[in-house]
Amino acid sequence: MPAFADPSQQLDGFQWPLQPAEPAPGAMRRLRLAVMASGEGSNFEALTLACRADRPPADVALLVVNNAACGARERARRLGVPCRLIDHRLQPSREALDAALISAFQEAQVDLVVMAGWMRIVTPRLVQAFPERLVNIHPSLLPSFRGMDAVGQALAAGVRLAGCTAHLVNEEVDAGRILVQAAVPVLDGDDHASLTARIQRQEHRILPLAVGLAAQRLGLLAQG
Ligand code: GRF
């Protein structure tokens, strides 16, 4: 039994400050998003559902996956979101992979691209194609525990507070401007799975908010 209740559980009814944009005079169109995922796709699904509830007012126009068998692809099928497989193993280089991604995103005419568990390092080519328009979700309170296995790093360091960060992507790994963070306690008896699950519940909450904030910064979405 944890020594104390997990306070992050109590936030479930919390109302994020971001409201759907009022259809302004000269009304803004809905945002078009692309999502990149390599694995389970729980963030992709949470973001898609949040967008369908207008938080933020956006459409996930395209999911790109790099693994044919990933859960994200199955979720896209279930949710009716167009999905493209761009397998990195079939690309001659990281640059070629990113060039294929850029073409897919340009074709889909998206405003923002969301890296939701994309397990490849992106090149400056992708970052420069979508300046200030590329959002990533990372399972740590950045700038702590950048890079691979952030949850394992947090457990090994013995921190009592962990969390997640949604940030803009620049050319340095996990170092772009922070948009939203959420903290969760590390409880006695936590293991990798239990801490990951607690962090992911918060990822699902902050990623849609961060996408809205990124769009607001670009003037694509009215201030809430
Ligand atoms: C998330 O924990 C995210 O922070 C990390 O990869 C994981 C993806 O999970 N970058 P899912 O595929 O969205 O379920």
Side-chain angles (χ1 to χ4, degrees), residues 39-44 116-117 119 137-139 200 203:
E40 233 355 89
S42 68
N43 278 284
F44 155 69
M119 302 311 278
I137 183 80
H138 182 76
Q200 280 207 335
E203 290 183 344

Side-chain angles (χ1 to χ4, degrees), residues 33-39 41 43-44 47 60 62-66 70 72 84 86 97-98 101-102 105 112-123 126 130 133-137 169 207:
L33 308 179
V35 177
M36 302 157 62
S38 301
N43 278 284
F44 155 69
L47 179 60
V60 178
L62 178 67
L63 172 74
V64 173
V65 300
N66 61 319
C70 71
R84 278 182 70 169
I86 302 181
L97 172 65
D98 283 1
L101 291 168
I102 292 166
F105 300 149
L112 294 171
V113 178
V114 181
M115 294 168 58
W118 182 252
M119 302 311 278
R120 313 292 306 167
I121 290 176
V122 299
T123 68
L126 181 66
F130 293 93
R133 288 168 184 262
L134 201 49
V135 175
N136 183 46
I137 183 80
V169 177
L207 186 57

